[in-house]
Amino acid sequence: MQHYSGFGLFKHSLSHHENWQRAWRNPTPKKKYDVIIIGGGGHGLATAYYLAKNHNVTNVAVIEKGYLGGGNTARNTTIVRSNYLWDEAAHLYEHAMKLWEGLSQDLNYNVMFSQRGVLNLGHTLQDMRDIERRVNANRLNGIDGEVVDPQTIKEIVPHMDCSDNARYPIMGASWQPRGGVARHDAVAWGFARGADSFGVDLIQQTEVQDLIIEDGTIVGVKTNRYGDIMADRVGSVVAGNSGVVAKMAGFELPLESHPLQAMVSEPIKPILDTVVMSNHVHGYCSQSDKGDLVIGAGIDGYVGYGQRGSFPTIEHTMQAIVEMFPIFSRVRLNRQWGGIVDTCPDACPLITETPVKNLFFNCGWGTGGFKATPGAGHVFADMLANGEANEMAKPFSMYRFHNGALIDEHGAAGVAH
Amino acid sequence: MLYIYCPHCGEHREEEEFHPKGQAHIARPLDPDNCTDKEWGEYLYFRKNPRGLHHELWVHAAGCRKFFNMTRDTVTYEIKEVYKIGEQPSVVADS
């Protein structure tokens, strides 16, 4: 792998940047792998990277039906935070946060992780009680956070309407300074390049059409371009399409797939240097380095696989954003899109063994998977390497919906669903 | 924007008047006291989540407030039919 550095940039400038090595190979798959990962998004690529780096499992293929990082990895609002309520979830997201903090150095790839802080607003007395409880729980778990009053919010975000004149006046917020945003494409590309450098085969434009299961054990996958590819273990990391892969394997998951929308405005000069989220009026907003306001909406209530969203949802979101930021009322929207998120009844993911031996799923991240990308990959790689859940993954088994040990994170999830 | 025919009102109305209520035809266990944890869990939480034809329950929340069923394609969002509670769908998936 070609090492990226300032000196390298200078050196290549002398040859007009025409001799850069490709970031990853485009290999023809082998007949058999130790591990096949279905899905080449951020989570799948991170899994492959940590499998190779931490567990020395390099005979790995990532099979992606489109192009790398072209699904939800490219469609989210890039927010990273770890202020979750329950210990199990807080540990998992904080694990991811710690990896984020060293990720650019680890990958030798600038993921543009910017810890600009995340505000979660409260507009009612109950919101404020929930926020105080969550912040206290966070601090007990060693996660940074504080409860801030409207005056402090006004200092952090001067353009926000913190007056009593709003339809739902802002009563306070939780503030996680270590939260922020990262460049989503760079995360996928950095992990892809890292995994490829260890010898992982990234197979793009190849769809897994069926699973090969013998006596309740998975032995390989059927693909549309390369026929059967065998594997000792298979990990499915396909987000919205998890139900489709589960159906191939012959079981159901406690998931429903919904379109989740996001949109960006035209680029404007720097105006918002943090991330603002509101559960109550429901919208979240940050400003990208390019200058566009990145705005996130809620999910459509019905099951949908069309990667777009409904118009009423856009309207509700814009109402919320303009309510919080009256100054944005004349900014024009540039683009709008949708991604398919697999929501779990308790708003926590599934990192799980399944009824099929050697088949594992990492899914159910719903509306908040991006922030967990390195952590999820790290934990799921451990599961694929050892064939069982480690301490961090154990609570996220799909069988918690049989024994009742749910982890209710609807409050911290931040997106209504 | 879905344009939905309410079988109770006999009219097409816009999506915003309605609420989706999830998968239809989920039968409550007949003998709930003797369900295993697995059976309860699957009744409460495990869903079909199909990519393609789906039968789902809707309520005309800002209209007649009555429930009805819908067969809808989850990829194209085309509404194939609506039918009342207790009726069976006439459009069903192949497999």
Side-chain angles (χ1 to χ4, degrees):
Chain A
M1 182 176 78
Q2 198 170 32
H3 187 79
Y4 292 160
S5 66
F7 176 71
L9 196 62
F10 172 72
K11 198 179 82 181
H12 281 281
S13 74
L14 299 177
S15 56
H16 305 281
H17 296 292
E18 285 173 354
N19 296 314
W20 287 98
Q21 195 185 58
R22 281 183 182 275
W24 51 81
R25 298 163 297 131
N26 200 9
T28 306
K30 293 181 255 184
K31 290 276 169 233
K32 184 169 186 312
Y33 288 94
D34 293 344
V35 176
I36 284 178
I37 294 164
I38 309 172
H43 282 223
L45 295 165
T47 306
Y49 174 74
Y50 289 115
L51 255 178
K53 178 166 179 265
N54 295 356
H55 303 279
N56 208 21
V57 181
T58 54
N59 188 22
V60 176
V62 178
I63 302 180
E64 164 58 46
K65 75 172 173 182
Y67 54 93
L68 299 178
N72 291 352
T73 304
R75 292 161 195 267
N76 59 75
T77 50
T78 79
I79 299 167
V80 176
R81 60 191 170 86
S82 62
N83 52 352
Y84 280 69
L85 175 65
W86 299 100
D87 292 352
E88 298 87 346
H91 292 161
L92 184 59
Y93 289 104
E94 180 61 15
H95 179 54
M97 178 66 91
K98 294 214 169 86
L99 289 169
W100 275 115
E101 287 176 327
L103 197 60
S104 290
Q105 286 73 21
D106 184 27
L107 294 175
N108 178 231
Y109 203 101
N110 186 4
V111 298
M112 295 165 78
F113 181 47
S114 160
Q115 292 179 296
R116 56 184 66 183
V118 175
L119 277 173
N120 289 84
L121 303 178
H123 301 259
T124 65
L125 205 54
Q126 188 58 47
D127 273 359
M128 292 314 298
R129 288 180 183 135
D130 289 343
I131 283 170
E132 286 188 24
R133 181 184 178 202
R134 197 151 57 234
V135 167
N136 281 322
N138 290 159
R139 295 173 77 125
L140 288 172
N141 274 321
I143 297 166
D144 62 323
E146 53 188 296
V147 181
V148 291
D149 59 16
Q151 209 176 345
T152 315
I153 298 172
K154 192 83 188 165
E155 283 165 21
I156 298 171
V157 192
H159 294 290
M160 192 146 59
D161 181 7
C162 294
S163 71
D164 289 336
N165 298 327
R167 174 70 182 80
Y168 296 103
I170 294 162
M171 296 177 70
S174 75
W175 170 239
Q176 188 183 18
R178 283 196 311 145
V181 291
R183 168 106 199 270
H184 47 11
D185 298 323
V187 176
W189 298 336
F191 276 122
R193 174 168 165 270
D196 180 84
S197 74
F198 287 111
V200 172
D201 286 348
L202 308 175
I203 318 292
Q204 299 182 72
Q205 304 285 327
T206 303
E207 189 174 348
V208 170
Q209 293 180 315
D210 207 353
L211 308 177
I212 308 168
I213 297 170
E214 289 171 4
D215 300 328
T217 305
I218 192 157
V219 292
V221 299
K222 287 184 193 296
T223 66
N224 60 345
R225 272 180 71 192
Y226 298 107
D228 296 0
I229 306 176
M230 311 314 276
D232 293 335
R233 285 182 182 143
V234 176
S236 167
V237 198
V238 297
N241 283 308
S242 295
V244 179
V245 177
K247 195 180 171 197
M248 293 175 194
F251 56 87
E252 286 180 4
L253 290 167
L255 296 178
E256 286 198 323
S257 295
H258 297 269
L260 174 64
Q261 295 184 75
M263 52 212 89
V264 291
S265 74
E266 58 192 336
I268 55 176
K269 289 198 171 176
I271 189 166
L272 181 61
D273 64 354
T274 186
V275 181
V276 176
M277 310 183 70
S278 168
N279 280 11
H280 194 79
V281 297
H282 208 283
Y284 38 106
C285 187
S286 64
Q287 188 174 21
S288 74
D289 292 346
K290 218 163 51 177
D292 20 14
L293 298 169
V294 183
I295 295 164
I299 63 168
D300 289 351
Y302 41 81
V303 171
Y305 285 87
Q307 286 174 315
R308 55 190 185 273
S310 68
F311 282 106
T313 304
I314 303 174
E315 197 175 351
H316 291 160
T317 305
M318 297 327 293
Q319 283 168 352
I321 296 298
V322 173
E323 157 97 7
M324 289 189 281
F325 298 98
I327 196 172
F328 293 165
S329 66
R330 293 200 204 170
V331 175
R332 285 165 295 190
L333 279 187
N334 216 354
R335 292 180 293 124
Q336 167 273 348
W337 63 90
I340 305 307
V341 299
D342 42 338
T343 58
C344 228
D346 62 355
C348 269
L350 305 174
I351 306 170
T352 185
E353 296 162 30
T354 67
V356 176
K357 194 161 179 273
N358 291 338
L359 173 64
F360 303 89
F361 271 71
N362 169 28
C363 59
W365 289 90
T367 57
F370 176 73
K371 68 173 80 68
T373 304
H378 195 270
V379 170
F380 196 51
D382 191 274
M383 179 174 264
L384 286 171
N386 298 320
E388 59 180 12
N390 67 11
E391 283 307 310
M392 202 170 273
K394 253 181 204 156
F396 297 98
S397 161
M398 65 187 274
Y399 300 112
R400 71 176 184 268
F401 293 95
H402 288 160
N403 64 26
L406 273 59
I407 309 159
D408 180 9
E409 287 290 2
H410 280 284
V415 178
H417 60 286
Chain B
M1 173 80 79
L2 301 179
Y3 199 46
I4 300 170
Y5 181 81
C6 172
H8 302 290
C9 299
E11 279 184 30
H12 281 89
R13 293 297 179 88
E14 289 183 355
E15 173 183 338
E16 274 195 293
E17 286 193 16
F18 300 85
H19 280 313
K21 303 300 266 185
Q23 185 180 325
H25 306 294
I26 300 174
R28 190 178 166 81
L30 288 173
D31 188 7
D33 289 340
N34 291 315
C35 277
T36 61
D37 288 351
K38 183 167 184 280
E39 284 164 344
W40 261 124
E42 299 203 337
Y43 162 69
L44 286 172
Y45 300 119
F46 286 69
R47 296 293 178 259
K48 286 200 165 47
N49 199 19
R51 189 184 173 99
L53 281 187
H54 193 30
H55 307 292
E56 45 191 20
L57 187 64
W58 285 72
V59 58
H60 194 179
C64 64
R65 297 168 66 191
K66 287 179 185 159
F67 285 78
F68 62 93
N69 293 322
M70 180 192 292
T71 305
R72 192 174 57 88
D73 190 309
T74 60
V75 180
T76 64
Y77 296 174
E78 187 190 349
I79 298 169
K80 303 287 187 186
E81 59 173 344
V82 293
Y83 53 101
K84 290 181 181 170
I85 302 293
E87 295 175 359
Q88 289 303 311
S90 59
V91 184
V92 290
D94 296 334
S95 57

